[in-house]
Amino acid sequence: MVTTAFAPGRVNVIGEHTDYTDGLVLPCAIAPGITLSVTAKATDVELDSAGFGPARADARGANPSEGWGRFVGAVAAELDDLGRSPVGLRGEISSTLPAGSGLASSAALEVAVALALCAVADFELPPRELALACQRAEHRAVGVPVGVMDQMACVFGRADHLLLLDCATLDIELVRFPASLALVVLESGVHRQLEASAYQQRRDELIAAVRRVGRRPADLKTDELHALVVEADLDDVQARRLMHAVAENQRVRAAAGLLRRQPWDSDSAAALGALLTESHGSLRELFEVSTVELDALVAIAIEHGALGARLTGAGFGGSVLALAEADRAGHVLERALESYQRRFEHLAPTGLVARPDDGARTR
């Protein structure tokens, strides 16, 4: 019997570099994603991809092949630790999600593989536990201790809703996304891998600041920061990382508050767009994870009619998320890509218009 597992990508509307300090995020699943079509096999996991070649591991996750096989093996190993029977599988993988674009392609791969492995072994795992297992698998695969936002958004996504996720409790509030708005994803053409970027350094700097202060950034207010920075004797870098995280958590709360407003109006839309642009400025100046290309793409998107824009994902390349009125989203996408391509002729940007979509599933 053929089992099909699908896991979507995600965009994070706001709340960047907050998840791994138990903060707040506001992501959603999107329609592009990764699909696995598999059949059960007595031993070994054998997957093939037209774009990325084969991936191999044994059914317990040992001896994974290089490249994306590391993720396949890591997921199998995490599920083995949870008691899954060592049933293998054979199948094909396809993707409509560009790798290295900041749209959580690795989380989508992990979740799709986990769903397929669970299905062929008739192994039931609660959705939250599946997301956490996939988070651990990413750490196991690449040595980068990422937050849980990507996997949670991939698993729990709901059409027409954003997920207000508290990464400390893993509580989720579904917040409706207005029909009058659309998400414009602009992929910069600058690809990155977290293990090859300064992600770990930024993460370590923020965590060091949080430990010295002794409170999570989501529980702090910006008017407390000066006294806390002095009391904790933070250096300049740690202080700037903490300032970003505190303000970003406040922006998540503000964005969720705007989206709860009824009736929705143009003033609310403009205010939400302004929060995205403010977030990008903080990621550029305080957290220092932007690039010349991402900064240009944000400015270009706003110039061509976006209500606001910011980098989405860890930074150092990848994508920009622009907020646009639904009836202008196609125009923003087309004109922004044209302008960006003229400026960066050596790159090959792409993009799409998206709305929040459903999360991972099998059939």
Side-chain angles (χ1 to χ4, degrees):
M1 182 180 72
V2 176
T3 296
T4 300
F6 172 80
R10 70 96 189 90
V11 294
N12 185 23
V13 174
I14 200 161
E16 216 65 77
H17 287 280
T18 57
D19 57 342
Y20 51 78
T21 51
D22 291 338
L24 306 175
V25 292
L26 195 63
C28 67
I30 55 175
I34 291 176
T35 301
L36 268 65
S37 296
V38 304
T39 55
K41 185 175 180 287
T43 59
D44 296 350
V45 176
E46 299 181 1
L47 291 171
D48 288 295
S49 163
F52 295 95
R56 303 287 186 265
D58 77 17
R60 294 187 183 276
N63 303 314
S65 55
E66 292 298 316
W68 65 285
R70 295 175 299 163
F71 294 92
V72 175
V75 171
E78 289 295 333
L79 295 179
D80 184 68
D81 289 348
L82 293 172
R84 175 189 172 273
S85 299
V87 179
L89 56 77
R90 176 188 291 114
E92 301 284 336
I93 183 170
S94 61
S95 177
T96 54
L97 197 62
S101 61
L103 300 179
S105 58
S106 59
L109 173 63
E110 293 148 11
V111 171
V113 169
L115 287 175
L117 286 169
C118 288
V120 298
D122 196 23
F123 180 66
E124 292 189 13
L125 198 62
R128 182 182 294 187
E129 293 306 311
L130 187 141
L132 290 169
C134 290
Q135 177 200 17
R136 294 192 299 272
E138 184 147 348
H139 188 189
R140 185 189 289 245
V142 298
V144 178
V146 297
V148 75
M149 172 186 66
D150 291 356
Q151 292 82 5
M152 289 289 286
C154 182
V155 170
F156 287 97
R158 179 80 63 84
D160 301 322
H161 290 80
L162 306 181
L163 282 65
L164 177 58
L165 170 65
D166 186 324
C167 294
T169 63
L170 300 186
D171 290 338
I172 292 173
E173 177 191 346
L174 293 175
V175 182
R176 181 167 288 278
F177 188 72
S180 60
L181 295 181
L183 302 170
V184 180
V185 180
L186 300 162
E187 202 279 307
S188 68
V190 180
H191 300 288
R192 58 98 180 100
Q193 295 178 311
L194 290 186
E195 65 267 35
S197 72
Y199 171 87
Q200 182 69 58
Q201 179 183 345
R202 298 293 185 275
R203 185 183 189 278
D204 290 347
E205 290 161 352
L206 175 56
I207 288 175
V210 171
R211 286 175 177 163
R212 293 179 73 91
V213 170
R215 295 162 64 188
R216 71 169 186 159
D219 295 331
L220 299 174
K221 294 182 172 58
T222 52
D223 59 9
E224 300 178 85
L225 276 176
H226 179 72
L228 288 170
V229 165
V230 172
E231 182 180 349
D233 193 26
L234 301 185
D235 62 32
D236 178 64
V237 169
Q238 292 172 338
R240 285 186 285 117
R241 307 299 185 246
L242 182 63
M243 288 168 63
H244 164 76
V246 171
E248 188 76 349
N249 278 286
Q250 292 181 347
R251 283 187 283 268
V252 174
R253 289 192 175 95
L258 286 168
L259 289 163
R260 296 188 194 104
R261 282 187 185 176
Q262 295 297 329
W264 182 258
D265 57 27
S266 59
D267 288 343
S268 299
L272 181 60
L275 287 172
L276 266 67
T277 306
E278 183 180 306
S279 172
H280 184 78
S282 182
L283 289 161
R284 181 186 65 238
E285 300 297 333
L286 297 178
F287 220 75
E288 298 180 280
V289 294
S290 191
T291 65
V292 170
E293 296 86 356
L294 292 174
D295 292 343
L297 197 46
V298 165
I300 288 168
I302 294 170
E303 176 187 345
H304 289 295
L307 298 168
R310 68 178 200 88
L311 70 87
T312 185
F316 307 106
S319 295
V320 159
L321 174 67
L323 185 72
E325 296 167 347
D327 58 1
R328 288 182 51 80
H331 169 83
V332 172
L333 174 65
E334 181 180 355
R335 296 297 302 278
L337 288 178
E338 288 176 353
S339 295
Y340 180 80
Q341 181 71 85
R342 285 196 298 270
R343 179 166 175 182
F344 298 97
E345 296 179 355
H346 63 291
L347 297 175
T350 60
L352 59 97
V353 175
R355 282 191 57 80
D357 213 322
D358 288 325
R361 59 258 189 199
T362 58
R363 65 177 187 271

